[in-house]
Each structure stands twice: as structure tokens, then as C-alpha cells.
Amino acid sequence: MNQHRYKAVIFDLDGVITDTARFHYLAWKRLADEVGAPFDEAFNEHLKGVDRMGSLALILARAPRTFTDQEKLLLADAKNRHYQELVATMTPEDLLPGALRALEEARAAGLKIGLASVSKNAFTVLDRLGIRGRFDDVVDAATIANSKPHPEIFLTAASHLGVAPADCLGVEDAAAGVASIKDAGMTAVGVGDAQVLARADYNIPAMDRFRLADYL
Ligand code: B16
Ligand code: MG
């Protein structure tokens, strides 16, 4: 049993472990151009931590016409196929600087390690990065009803790890993700803009500044 303040660290994937946001952006951008909806990097920020159909709804709300449910499913499928083509090019070199060390520090400290991503492609991404075996639990996003900022995914991760939420440290790069961690009753490390991630208990500009000892 470890003697630390926390018993588990639960990581977000996109923006914390790897930069899949770039691929989501490219895939959504192509779709937005096809339907005539305005789309840029700033708007893409609002999609971080939002699930696929939720993201599509936000994009289509700015399109010049409405879409049937069947059209929406086809559009979401097309976006996902494009995204998966991009993910297929990933290698362990796509780990964000500091991410692997953070996983190693958590393991060395005897903490449980979880992944809380609302991406249904998370398992594939972890396999491409070669790090799936480093997690004690990876929440299957297909089992999650509410995407971030709802706390469900972080609560599910804690429950799978057998750790009380108050004993968990969550690591997130999106405001919606930090809200999810805080509303789950956990301590949050925000990775990125401290003003955007103002609800986090600790703020670092990027994962290369993550030092587990700073939070224990
Ligand atoms: P998929 P996270 C989220 O991952 C992304 O931030 C978000 O942009 C994306 O729409 C969502 O996954 C769903 O991804 O289409 O692969 O199921 O930040 O929770 O790791
Ligand atoms: Mg993220």
C-alpha cells in the first residue's frame, strides 16, 4: 500500500497523452467544408472532450441547412473513417513529451493508473502508442452515457480501479474535462492555459512539466 495522498491517477487521452486533437481537427474540418459550416482552430477548442455526435451537432448548428438523423449518422461515420486513417499513421513517437514519464512516476509511486477518454477510438490510439498495458483500467467510452463535463467517465474510472474519487488525481487539458474531474470530487491537474482551466487545483503549461511529486 502506498503512503501517498492519492491512490490513483486518471489521465485524459487527447491533449494529455497524445495530440489527437490535431487529427480530430483535420477530420472535422473536411466535413465542415463539405457541408458549408464555418470551422477553425478556435471553434475546434469547444469540441475537446465532447463526444462524436455532440461535436457533430455543434458543427452542424452553424451549417446553412438542417440534416436528418440518418444524414447525421453518415456524416459522423465519414468523419470517423477519416480520423481512423490519420490514427493509423501514429507511432510511439506521437506520445506527448512528459506523458510516458508521468505514467512511470505513477507506477513507481504505487498508484493505480486509469484512462478516462470519451473517444471510442481510445483503445486503438493506445495500441498505436504502445502503452495500453501501462493502464490498470481504460474506460470503454461505448459504456458512457454522458460525455465531459459530466463526471460519469471519471467516476467510472475510479470505480473500476476500486479507489474513492477523493483519492484520485485527474489530469486534463480541456475545461470540460477539468469540470468532469472536479464534479467527480477529485483533485485536478490542468494541462494548458491556466485561465481556461481555472477550476483545476494545479496548472501546468504542458505535460513535460508534470511532476507527480508536486501533487503528492
Ligand atoms: P471519437 P478525450 C475526446 O477525447 C476528444 O477530445 C474529442 O474531441 C472527441 O470528439 C471525442 O474524444 C470523441 O472521439 O470520435 O474518437 O469517439 O479528450 O476524452 O480523450
Ligand atoms: Mg483532452
Side-chain angles (χ1 to χ4, degrees):
M1 201 59 204
N2 79 73
Q3 300 300 309
H4 301 300
R5 192 166 153 202
Y6 305 106
K7 297 193 174 77
V9 187
I10 302 173
F11 294 91
D12 170 45
L13 178 61
D14 175 22
V16 169
I17 301 292
T18 187
D19 185 18
T20 33
R22 192 164 47 93
F23 294 154
H24 283 296
Y25 170 79
L26 291 171
W28 284 130
K29 174 71 177 149
R30 184 158 91 181
L31 179 145
D33 287 349
E34 277 166 16
V35 301
F39 192 78
D40 57 18
E41 300 268 5
F43 190 75
N44 189 55
E45 283 298 306
H46 300 301
L47 308 183
K48 288 188 175 175
V50 180
D51 65 15
R52 198 178 309 156
M53 294 311 285
S55 299
L56 180 67
L58 290 172
I59 292 167
L60 294 184
R62 292 157 32 116
R65 71 170 180 94
T66 57
F67 295 81
T68 65
D69 285 350
Q70 202 196 346
E71 283 177 315
K72 288 179 190 167
L73 286 175
L74 290 173
L75 287 169
D77 268 0
K79 181 268 175 178
N80 192 46
R81 277 197 303 277
H82 186 197
Y83 176 71
Q84 287 176 335
E85 283 167 20
L86 297 169
V87 164
T89 68
M90 292 179 83
T91 72
E93 294 198 353
D94 290 302
L95 279 160
L96 279 170
L100 195 57
R101 184 180 56 207
L103 293 168
E104 287 170 350
E105 284 182 351
R107 182 61 71 214
L111 308 190
K112 298 263 190 206
I113 303 175
L115 188 91
S117 168
V118 298
S119 171
K120 296 190 171 71
N121 294 295
F123 290 105
T124 311
V125 172
L126 293 181
D127 286 340
R128 295 295 317 167
L129 295 170
I131 57 167
R132 185 156 160 184
R134 291 178 180 268
F135 292 87
D136 297 302
D137 181 69
V138 176
V139 176
D140 180 355
T143 67
I144 298 297
N146 306 287
S147 71
K148 301 164 189 174
H150 194 284
E152 180 182 356
I153 190 156
F154 278 94
L155 289 173
T156 303
S159 153
H160 288 175
L161 294 171
V163 175
D167 294 330
C168 294
L169 186 70
V171 188
E172 259 287 352
D173 71 312
V178 169
S180 175
I181 294 170
K182 292 309 298 171
D183 289 345
M186 302 179 182
T187 303
V189 179
V191 185
D193 188 327
Q195 283 183 331
V196 174
L197 307 175
R199 278 192 75 191
D201 300 279
Y202 302 94
N203 290 93
I204 51 174
M207 279 303 284
D208 61 358
R209 299 284 288 277
F210 185 98
R211 297 287 182 281
L212 188 61
D214 291 347
Y215 321 118
L216 295 179

